[in-house]
Amino acid sequence: MSYRGEAPAETAAPGEFDVAWAWKGGAVAGLAATVVMGAVITVVDLPTLRGAIAGLYGFEGSLVAGWLAHLVHGTLFGVLFAWLLSDPGLYRVHEWVWKSVLAGVVYAVVLAVVGAGIVMPIWLDAVGVAAQPGIPNVTTASLVWHIVYGVVLGALFPFVDDL
């Protein structure tokens, strides 16, 4: 404290719970995870990319539109994952790969249930896709695809979080 009426100097060290939002790392990890997940979907259930995912934007039947929509969504969800891990309550989770992978899997299961299981069928109905799934649309295949996404996202994020 200053005795001459001057404001004290700001010398506080950063707190241990000050966490930066690693959005670039989240985008990179999300994009990579989406490519892997999309490759799995392409091999085992191509109609999902062509129909449902492309259909979200009115391009039902287009594989290119399905892939583009999927890449954008997965990248944005990677950014959201990074934002969630920047919460002080999750301090340093990304410093352990196994914890980051576990966080990625939990996050992916939530995406599968809420995003693909509830939001996606509502969205498809709203845009008039004829063969939209019922609600909830949680299948074993969808859970596996999303878990693949979560494992890759969580495994890669600790290595790209400082971009």
Side-chain angles (χ1 to χ4, degrees), residues 87-132:
D87 182 278
L90 297 173
Y91 177 64
R92 298 176 63 178
V93 165
H94 66 280
E95 292 183 10
W96 291 275
V97 174
W98 73 269
K99 287 184 180 182
S100 184
V101 168
L102 181 60
V105 168
V106 169
Y107 179 68
V109 169
V110 171
L111 288 178
V113 173
V114 176
I118 298 170
V119 174
M120 192 169 170
I122 293 170
W123 187 344
L124 289 168
D125 185 48
V127 297
V129 172
Q132 75 273 9

Side-chain angles (χ1 to χ4, degrees), residues 16-128:
E16 75 174 24
F17 291 107
D18 290 340
V19 180
W21 177 24
W23 67 270
K24 291 178 193 173
V28 168
L31 178 62
T34 305
V35 168
V36 173
M37 178 185 178
V40 172
I41 295 171
T42 299
V43 170
V44 299
D45 192 8
L46 192 58
T48 295
L49 280 169
R50 295 188 130 181
I53 298 171
L56 292 170
Y57 296 97
F59 295 104
E60 190 175 3
S62 171
L63 181 58
V64 172
W67 259 101
L68 287 175
H70 199 248
L71 290 172
V72 169
H73 290 179
T75 301
L76 292 175
F77 281 124
V79 171
L80 180 60
F81 178 75
W83 178 74
L84 290 169
L85 288 189
S86 72
D87 182 278
L90 297 173
Y91 177 64
R92 298 176 63 178
V93 165
H94 66 280
E95 292 183 10
W96 291 275
V97 174
W98 73 269
K99 287 184 180 182
S100 184
V101 168
L102 181 60
V105 168
V106 169
Y107 179 68
V109 169
V110 171
L111 288 178
V113 173
V114 176
I118 298 170
V119 174
M120 192 169 170
I122 293 170
W123 187 344
L124 289 168
D125 185 48
V127 297

